[in-house]
Every structure is written in C-alpha cells, then in structure tokens.
Amino acid sequence: MNFTNFGKYILLLKAVFRKPEKLKIYVKAIFQQMDFIGVGSLGLISIISTFIGAVMTLQIAFQLVSDFIPKTIIGSVNRDSSILELSPTISAIVLAGKIGSAISSEIGTMRVTEQIDALEIMGINAPGYLILPKIIAGITMVPVLVIISMVLSITGGYLGGTLSGAVSAAEYIQGVTTDFNPYTITVALTKAFVFGFIITSVPAYEGFYVKGGALEVAQASTRAVVVSCISILACDYLVTQLLL
Amino acid sequence: MIEIKDIYKAFGDNEVLKGISGKFEAGVTNLIIGGSGSGKTTLLKCMIGLHQPDQGTVEYDGREFTQLNFQERIEIRKEIGMLFQGSALFDSMTVEENIMFPLNMFTEQPFREKLDRVNFCLERVNLEGKNKLYPAELSGGMKKRVGIARAIAMNPKYLFCDEPNSGLDPKTSIVIDELIKELTEEYNTTTIVVTHDMNSVMGIGDYIIFLHEGKKFWEGSNKEIAKTDIEELNDFVFASRFMKAAKGKF
C-alpha cells in the first residue's frame, strides 16, 4: 500500500514538472505562494525561534555547572544547535502543521468540488498549475525562514541568558563568535531546501487524491501533517548522516 | 459531432458501462438519461477523458480521443466547454476572473478584449454587472449560469453539461435548459446533457439515449419517448402520478 502511494507520489511529481501552459500566470502564482508561505509564517517562526533560543541557553547553563567549563561554551552550543538542528527541524515541523494542512485542505476541497476536474477539462495541467508554485515557494521561502529563525534563536539565547543572569553578555557573544564553522550553514540550508520540498509536495499529494467530502478532506489534512513530520525527521537524519 | 463506440468501463468487479455506442450531432441538444447508478456520469467522464474506458473509442469529429496522451488531448480539450453539476467555479476568483481564466491561459489577447468577451458571456447568460461577485455570493441558479458563461468563453465546439438542473427550482431549471438549447443552436455546438430531469427531457431532448443497468436501452427524440411501450423507459420517464396522467397529452 505504501509502495503504491509512493509510486503515485512520484507520478504526480512527474506531472507537476511538466512545461507550464503560460509562464506569466505561474510566476504570479509563485509570488502569491511565497507571500503565503514566507511572509505569512514569519510571525510564528519568529516567536517560536526566540523562545527556543532563550530556553536552550537556560538549559545548557543548567547542565554545564562546573568550574572547569567556561561559560562561553553556552553561546557556542546554542549557536551550533540552533543552526544545525533546532532552526531547520523545528521550523519545518511547525510549518508542516501550518502550511501543510492549508495546502492539503485547499487542494482537497478543489478536488471534491470538481474544480480540479474543471481545470483538466479546460486542458490545463492541474498538478502543475496547483502544485508547482507551492513547491517553488516552499524550497525558496523555507530556507529564508530558517535563516531568520537561526538569527532569532541565537538572539533569544542572548536575551534569555542575560536577563536570567545565566551567562553574561560578553561571555555569550564570545561563545557565539568563537570557532564558527560556516559549513554548518550549508548543512542547515540543505535541510531547509529538502524540508521545503516535503512540506509542500506531501500535503499537495494528499489533497490531490482525496475522494469523498468534507470528512475525507479533514482526514487528508491530518494525514498530510503526520506524513510530512515523519518524512522531515527521516530526511533530517539522512541529510545529517550524508553531510556531517 | 461526437461518436462513441462500444464503451466499456468497470470499477473493480462493478461493471458500470457495458458496450455503449452512439452518435451525437452538432446543433441539436443530445441528452443522456437514466436512473441513479445507470452509468450516465461515468459515460460522460469517459467521453471527456476524466475516466479512461476499458474498451471502446470516443471520436471528436473523426479525431480518436481515448488513445491520445495528455499533451495531444489538450488540443481537443481547448474546444470543450463543461458545465459541472456543482458548477465547479473557482472559489478564490471573482465571476470575471472565473470566466477570464481560460482566456488568460490559452490566448494572448489584451485585457480589454478579454474583458469584452467576459461581459459578452455574462450578458448571454443574463448576469450583466455581476463581474466582481465571488461564487459564495451567488445563488445556485446564478452559479450555473456563470458555469455556462465560463464554458462558452472559448467558443467551444463541444459543450457538456452534467445534471445542469440539479438543486434548482423548476423555473430556473427551464431558464438553464432554454439557455443551453439556444447556445447549441446559435453556435452549432455538439451539446451533451446528462440529466434525469423530466422537464429537460420533454423540453430540449432532440436526441436522447436512455441508459439502464450500464447498457443503452433506448434512443430517440422527446416526441418518440412519449409513445414508447418499453416498460423500463416508461417506469423511468413516467414515474410520477402527474407524468403518468400527462403521458397521453404529449
């Protein structure tokens, strides 16, 4: 059954990447989706990242109680954890819930109300018209959101640490700026690219093949979020294994 | 003209269509009628390519459709207009954007020309000035009329209507029926209407195919249907007491 679904997913992707009927219309749709995925998620990602950064600092400070460990380590651990894991993965899981369910229910509703049939009858490649702009917006905007999330998570760590007195501002900044390996950014952005693809394509697949009515659309949305989250975690492991 | 030859379609063990053939001429209103589950909508979907028939062919003016791939079908599909049972208007677009959508996709006309065409189509279905309304703001009958306006926007050679009267009051149903008939005669389209509305059958049925248990049981015109002695057809057409009483007067 899962192999069947995977096969259908691949065939759907093949249809998605067919030549667009009219590039101008697709470009307009891509910008609309970038606004929805990127700008629309900025507030949520900002709040989550800042708090995660702050909490991370407090927890690292709590665990590293030793005179032999310099407090600057709090900043560097927070930086690497935020860049490599927390910003890409937590952002992706949150976005899978927010964007994934919206994509799945939008396309699913179009399916059950025959709007997708209407597109096909007009001679329009429905998978391309409906899904391609979302995927392109996903693979471009999720990395942007992840970069913002990294910055805010590290800033949140600074705020959390200094406000609570767990670490001084100078020690935190020294920790963040010492021994920085830029390759971690490459790893994080690779993850963000892969997650952006998953967050948009998996829910689109679930919505595109809905059969039934409102109940089935809701079930497809739930399934889309669950499958997206599992796929994100599995790909997180794979990308980390491959690149580090 | 559309010709279907020996169409078979099954879903698992359930054989829905069992060898249906027919010729639908241009300029006349062709009806496919039958009870629920008789295979009307499945036949329609096989004809427009939403279902792939297990066997048989569909020809659009001699062009075989069933064996074409996606790209090859696009050329024929540009000549098809379709009115869906639930209208299938795009929720996020206004009436104007809905009707302009196929023009945007397939023509290079300037906006002014496209708008003129939209206004012409809206006028044709008596909805002048409703350009900026969203589908959610329209009544069922208005949605159907916008659906028709969108279907005729590209000047289709072939017009398909799936249950155009479902959910409408009798007066609005007649308006929709007359509109379909007028457009068919005016533009010489090959029009196929799937319905089980008896007013439509008696009012606009120039050529009717009656499906029963997945087979073509009868074909003829609305004048002939009133005189038929076939029990299954009589049971379907003259099911109500009113229709039974009126049978002799048709």
Side-chain angles (χ1 to χ4, degrees):
Chain A
M1 187 65 189
N2 284 332
F3 284 115
T4 312
N5 283 332
F6 186 69
K8 272 172 81 179
Y9 173 70
I10 298 296
L11 287 175
L12 180 69
L13 288 180
K14 193 179 153 203
V16 165
F17 290 104
R18 273 195 199 124
K19 189 173 170 247
E21 293 83 8
K22 210 166 193 183
L23 201 59
K24 204 171 82 179
I25 291 174
Y26 276 64
V27 170
K28 192 179 162 197
I30 288 168
F31 281 112
Q32 282 171 345
Q33 291 301 320
M34 285 169 104
D35 178 51
F36 168 65
I37 294 173
V39 181
S41 308
L42 198 55
L44 182 64
I45 291 296
S46 301
I47 292 167
I48 289 170
S49 305
T50 309
F51 277 98
I52 283 182
V55 172
M56 275 282 290
T57 297
L58 296 180
Q59 288 182 355
I60 296 164
F62 170 74
Q63 286 178 305
L64 299 179
V65 185
S66 168
D67 291 337
F68 296 106
I69 302 171
K71 285 207 170 174
T72 54
I73 203 85
I74 295 171
S76 61
V77 171
N78 195 346
R79 178 198 65 206
D80 287 342
S81 306
S82 294
I83 292 174
L84 278 173
E85 184 62 17
L86 293 174
S87 285
T89 312
I90 302 287
S91 299
I93 286 175
V94 169
L95 291 172
K98 182 182 178 287
I99 296 164
S101 58
I103 290 175
S104 175
S105 46
E106 179 197 331
I107 296 178
T109 304
M110 288 187 78
R111 167 63 76 194
V112 299
T113 55
E114 296 181 311
Q115 292 176 52
I116 292 179
D117 289 345
L119 285 171
E120 286 179 356
I121 295 303
M122 286 178 199
I124 291 162
N125 173 26
Y129 176 73
L130 293 174
I131 303 172
L132 185 62
K134 291 177 172 59
I135 291 180
I136 292 176
I139 60 178
T140 52
M141 292 317 286
V142 172
V144 173
L145 288 169
V146 166
I147 291 169
I148 293 168
S149 168
M150 287 171 193
V151 173
L152 290 173
S153 180
I154 293 168
T155 311
Y158 172 84
L159 292 172
T162 52
L163 289 174
S164 66
V167 61
S168 71
E171 285 170 325
Y172 185 83
I173 291 167
Q174 193 191 340
V176 168
T177 52
T178 305
D179 294 331
F180 171 62
N181 181 358
Y183 181 66
T184 54
I185 301 279
T186 310
V187 177
L189 292 183
T190 308
K191 285 184 180 181
F193 180 87
V194 174
F195 297 163
F197 186 83
I198 292 170
I199 288 165
T200 46
S201 63
V202 171
Y205 165 77
E206 293 290 349
F208 199 82
Y209 289 113
V210 164
K211 277 182 189 158
L215 180 66
E216 286 75 12
V217 172
Q219 285 169 344
S221 287
T222 309
R223 208 166 42 244
V225 175
V226 171
V227 176
S228 297
C229 287
I230 294 168
S231 307
I232 285 166
L233 295 172
C235 288
D236 184 28
Y237 176 78
L238 279 174
V239 174
T240 310
Q241 172 90 48
L242 286 170
L243 297 184
L244 287 182
Chain B
M1 184 195 69
I2 298 173
E3 187 170 7
I4 54 172
K5 290 176 189 163
D6 213 18
I7 299 281
Y8 281 83
K9 180 70 185 171
F11 296 99
D13 295 334
N14 181 21
E15 271 190 81
V16 181
L17 302 177
K18 300 167 189 166
I20 295 178
S21 302
K23 241 183 209 179
F24 305 99
E25 299 290 344
V28 294
T29 318
N30 302 283
L31 264 56
I32 299 172
I33 63 169
S36 298
S38 59
K40 311 184 291 290
T41 301
T42 305
L43 178 61
L44 186 80
K45 287 187 173 177
C46 285
M47 290 169 76
I48 55 182
L50 288 178
H51 287 328
Q52 183 67 21
D54 299 331
Q55 199 184 310
T57 58
V58 178
E59 286 180 12
Y60 286 77
D61 288 311
R63 294 171 294 173
E64 217 285 292
F65 183 71
T66 42
Q67 300 306 317
L68 300 180
N69 66 28
F70 179 82
Q71 288 297 337
E72 292 164 335
R73 282 184 181 191
I74 284 177
E75 290 312 311
I76 292 180
R77 279 182 164 160
K78 284 182 193 168
E79 299 172 356
I80 293 177
M82 168 103 189
L83 172 63
F84 285 85
Q85 191 172 357
S87 302
L89 300 177
F90 303 124
D91 302 327
S92 57
M93 296 183 192
T94 61
V95 165
E96 182 180 298
E97 288 165 342
N98 261 287
I99 301 169
M100 207 181 273
F101 185 77
L103 300 170
N104 284 336
M105 274 293 189
F106 296 115
T107 71
E108 295 297 337
Q109 293 170 7
F111 179 78
R112 193 66 242 176
E113 265 181 44
K114 287 187 278 191
L115 188 61
D116 287 345
R117 179 70 191 160
V118 169
N119 288 332
F120 171 78
C121 293
L122 281 175
E123 204 179 299
R124 204 66 201 74
V125 297
N126 297 321
L127 283 176
E128 303 98 320
K130 306 290 182 194
N131 300 48
K132 300 298 174 194
L133 294 180
Y134 281 89
E137 298 171 290
L138 303 174
S139 69
M142 286 163 88
K143 279 184 191 167
K144 296 273 184 188
R145 282 188 278 162
V146 175
I148 293 175
R150 185 177 68 182
I152 62 169
M154 293 279 284
N155 265 329
K157 279 176 78 175
Y158 315 101
L159 180 63
F160 292 90
C161 306
D162 186 12
E163 310 264 6
N165 312 102
S166 68
L168 299 181
D169 62 82
K171 201 176 163 188
T172 313
S173 289
I174 291 167
V175 171
I176 300 285
D177 281 346
E178 284 174 357
L179 189 58
I180 292 170
K181 191 163 177 62
E182 266 175 46
L183 293 168
T184 303
E185 289 170 0
E186 198 175 322
Y187 300 111
N188 197 35
T189 55
T190 304
T191 300
I192 298 175
V193 180
V194 164
T195 187
H196 51 223
D197 184 278
M198 283 311 115
N199 285 329
S200 302
V201 173
M202 303 317 287
I204 61 167
D206 296 325
Y207 171 68
I208 303 164
I209 281 185
F210 171 63
L211 299 188
H212 183 65
E213 293 176 351
K215 288 180 183 162
K216 184 170 86 176
F217 222 76
W218 181 87
E219 64 185 322
S221 70
N222 53 358
K223 291 177 184 71
E224 291 163 333
I225 208 168
K227 293 166 193 153
T228 179
D229 291 327
I230 299 170
E231 196 185 335
E232 286 83 354
L233 184 56
N234 273 327
D235 286 349
F236 175 74
V237 178
F238 304 103
S240 71
R241 255 186 249 166
F242 172 78
M243 287 298 281
K244 266 182 199 144
K247 187 182 177 188
K249 293 169 191 163
F250 285 118

